[in-house]
Amino acid sequence: MRYFGTMKNNNGILEIGGVSIKELAKEYKTPLYIMDQQLIEDNMKKYIDNFKSDKFKTEIVYASKAFLSKAMCQLADKYGLSMDAVSAGELYTIKMANFPMNRVHMHGNNKSIEELEMCLDLGVGIVILDNILEIERLGELADEKNKKIKVMLRVNIGIDAHTHEYIRTSKHSSKFGESIFDKNIYGIVEKIINYKNLEFLGFHCHIGSQIFDTKAFHEGIETMLKFTKSVSEKLKINIQEMNLGGGFGVYYTEEDTEIDVEKFMHSMVEHIEKTLEKENMNLERVSIEPGRSIVGNAGGTLYSVGGTKETYGGVKYVFIDGGMTDNIRPALYQAKYEAVLANKLNEKPEEIVTIAGKCCESGDLIGKDMKLAKACVGDYVFVSTTGAYGYSMSSNYNKALRPAVVFVKDGKTALSIKRETYEDLVSKDIFLNL
Ligand code: LLP
């Protein structure tokens, strides 16, 4: 397993943020999401320091769907990042974290009236409009409330980035945005600018998630700038902004060649600057929306081994006290992970095992054919790179309790999200009146 951030082998015991996983398990129990705060902060700084230009302003918008908690909002605010939300629930959480709402960008392909009203009432910075119906809804609501709001239009630029089918977002038949190839696309933009309370800033695209192919992003830059220019010329309007979305791929296993953020941010900025010059264009601001690449490697999940089993069919199982309820990604996307026995780092990983969860579901696996040291009851399994889309996609299937999330830094721990309780499980459950 590759070590990230502050991860260390301290006499055979895994240590993160200067804290031993044994202490973490004792204090917070397992399963437990552990977030390396220093690594999150370093990743945020990396984006802020490297996605910079003398020609235009830049904005890093953290895609909160990857992992959202009050602590994350505090860190994003500390480093001057903005926040991307995609639902009323995310907006509410961000608001409750006292994050400045004028630095929130609201997404979604089917925003409800309630969500659009919330954007106007909470003073959300930018609404990324997805389609015509939404333009009309927000335009009318803004008129009714007599409130101005900044908007962008999400466009589908038809770039087929090579990633899992479910997380590709820019194929011609994707549900997101309006296609730049649509004959009516100029009419759609005109519709926005005709609403007096919608202030049109420019276009947004997001070509997919967990993308390693940097060419796809470069193609995206060219396509977006040329498209922006054509709209600006045709409609004789000044377009100030462009948002290129997120999707920068991270390392999960040896099969992944992650994007080097520092290098890639420089090459993106350079490419944007050159294309602006070539096309004789100006932009006031360019934004990007990284999610996974800020929190992915910074999070890991700690489990206790409850038992092992060798089947008649020859598969050796290591049973952990969590599974698909805290990490649905292997079942949903055939995602692969690396893992260690976190209390036996100095023992050779010579067993080939399948790590299985507790759910009543054969697909409840964290990984097949994983190399681990010989596991015994009471050992700790640590699965790395679960920081993005782990907690945020967790569930209560089989009435599992969502684990706690703890931040670690400089030898200290801070509980960020409490473990659910049995009372939580029935707190919304109401008897029939029989
Ligand atoms: N911006 C927009 C508009 C997005 O839809 C997304 C992700 C992002 C930014 C952030 O992408 P990132 O940098 O995190 O790759 N549940 C899936 C990932 C779904 C991504 C959805 N949109 C997974 O677990 O792999």
Side-chain angles (χ1 to χ4, degrees):
M1 185 187 80
R2 195 198 273 191
Y3 283 20
F4 300 100
T6 63
M7 279 160 76
K8 261 195 204 135
N9 175 347
N10 189 350
N11 282 325
I13 314 284
L14 183 65
E15 188 182 286
I16 309 168
V19 188
S20 142
I21 56 93
K22 275 197 167 171
E23 280 170 44
L24 288 166
K26 205 165 137 203
E27 187 169 352
Y28 298 102
K29 312 274 185 296
T30 58
L32 179 68
Y33 295 104
I34 303 168
M35 303 298 275
D36 181 345
Q37 187 179 328
Q38 187 62 55
L39 185 53
I40 297 176
E41 295 185 41
D42 290 347
N43 289 340
M44 288 181 168
K45 271 191 268 177
K46 224 184 241 179
Y47 275 107
I48 291 284
D49 292 346
N50 295 291
F51 192 67
K52 262 204 313 215
S53 166
D54 301 329
K55 307 275 187 324
F56 46 83
K57 290 184 204 141
T58 51
E59 188 175 4
I60 308 297
V61 190
Y62 169 63
S64 73
K65 70 203 84 180
F67 172 67
L68 178 59
S69 71
K70 289 178 178 167
M72 266 317 280
C73 294
Q74 285 176 295
L75 293 178
D77 194 22
K78 180 171 168 196
Y79 289 98
L81 276 74
S82 299
M83 277 275 177
D84 138 356
V86 73
S87 68
E90 287 182 358
L91 272 186
Y92 181 81
T93 308
I94 294 168
K95 173 74 186 161
M96 287 297 117
N98 300 321
F99 191 86
M101 296 308 282
N102 61 355
R103 293 212 322 264
V104 175
H105 296 202
M106 178 64 168
H107 279 279
N109 66 301
N110 181 23
K111 300 175 195 75
S112 64
I113 302 271
E114 183 198 345
E115 285 168 328
L116 293 171
E117 280 195 302
M118 237 169 131
C119 291
L120 287 160
D121 297 343
L122 295 178
V124 158
I126 302 177
V127 175
I128 320 285
L129 294 165
D130 183 88
N131 54 62
I132 303 179
L133 184 65
E134 210 170 83
I135 296 170
E136 291 168 352
R137 278 186 184 155
L138 186 65
E140 280 158 28
L141 280 172
D143 285 349
E144 268 168 41
K145 291 182 184 270
N146 201 18
K147 275 190 178 161
K148 282 207 180 322
I149 189 150
K150 293 185 174 131
V151 300
M152 295 182 90
L153 178 66
R154 175 154 182 179
V155 287
N156 180 343
I157 56 176
I159 287 178
D160 196 5
H162 298 280
T163 184
H164 192 281
E165 167 92 26
Y166 291 2
I167 49 180
R168 274 185 219 171
T169 48
S170 215
K171 289 194 305 182
H172 291 308
S173 49
S174 160
K175 71 169 182 169
F176 298 105
E178 295 286 0
S179 171
I180 59 167
F181 304 104
D182 189 325
K183 279 200 202 79
N184 191 26
I185 192 75
Y186 300 103
I188 296 175
V189 179
E190 256 179 332
K191 196 168 189 91
I192 302 178
I193 53 186
N194 284 337
Y195 279 103
K196 72 172 194 308
N197 285 315
L198 301 186
E199 188 189 333
F200 180 64
L201 300 181
F203 298 103
H204 169 283
C205 74
H206 171 76
I207 57 173
S209 197
Q210 184 63 350
I211 296 170
F212 303 118
D213 172 16
T214 51
K215 278 205 303 270
F217 290 107
H218 284 295
E219 261 180 69
I221 291 173
E222 296 266 335
T223 313
M224 281 291 275
L225 285 174
K226 285 185 184 153
F227 174 66
T228 300
K229 186 178 177 184
S230 83
V231 174
S232 157
E233 286 178 353
K234 179 127 184 172
L235 301 182
K236 300 192 172 42
I237 53 170
N238 173 29
I239 298 182
Q240 312 157 30
E241 296 204 16
M242 170 172 82
N243 186 327
L244 295 166
F248 314 112
V250 309
Y251 179 100
Y252 283 84
T253 69
E254 281 168 359
E255 290 173 15
D256 308 323
T257 316
E258 74 275 22
I259 287 187
D260 177 331
V261 170
E262 212 167 306
K263 266 202 209 142
F264 188 54
M265 289 304 114
H266 286 289
S267 82
M268 269 180 98
V269 168
E270 201 182 295
H271 191 179
I272 300 167
E273 287 174 348
K274 278 194 181 143
T275 316
L276 284 173
E277 202 179 310
K278 199 171 88 203
E279 298 292 333
N280 198 15
M281 293 171 71
N282 272 311
L283 278 181
E284 246 170 64
R285 189 189 312 267
V286 180
S287 355
I288 51 169
E289 295 170 333
R292 188 189 319 260
S293 49
I294 288 182
V295 284
N297 295 145
T301 318
L302 187 67
Y303 302 98
S304 299
V305 175
T308 56
K309 182 187 278 182
E310 194 159 343
T311 62
Y312 179 66
V315 173
K316 277 189 186 168
Y317 281 103
V318 172
F319 293 151
I320 50 166
D321 55 354
M324 67 189 292
T325 46
D326 56 77
N327 187 359
I328 189 71
R329 300 191 71 260
L332 193 56
Y333 314 117
Q334 300 81 49
K336 292 191 178 144
Y337 286 87
E338 290 183 344
V340 285
L341 277 192
N343 56 319
K344 289 184 174 168
L345 294 181
N346 292 344
E347 290 182 26
K348 273 217 172 106
E350 34 189 29
E351 301 247 292
I352 306 286
V353 301
T354 290
I355 302 180
K358 292 173 68 83
C359 284
C360 207
E361 189 91 26
S362 303
D364 176 20
L365 308 174
I366 291 298
K368 288 182 189 167
D369 298 332
M370 299 180 88
K371 270 194 174 167
L372 283 189
K374 189 166 173 46
C376 304
V377 174
D379 280 342
Y380 295 110
V381 168
F382 179 82
V383 179
S384 66
T385 314
T386 60
Y389 307 107
Y391 187 86
S392 59
M393 294 177 81
S394 60
S395 79
N396 289 125
Y397 180 47
N398 288 168
K399 294 284 186 205
L401 304 176
R402 280 192 182 78
V405 182
V406 66
F407 278 52
V408 289
K409 185 181 171 181
D410 297 337
K412 295 199 190 88
T413 67
L415 185 61
S416 172
I417 304 181
K418 290 183 199 163
R419 181 178 305 284
E420 281 179 340
T421 62
Y422 296 123
E423 296 83 71
D424 289 334
L425 287 182
V426 290
S427 65
K428 295 176 205 76
D429 196 331
I430 300 165
F431 281 112
L432 286 177
N433 207 357
L434 292 182

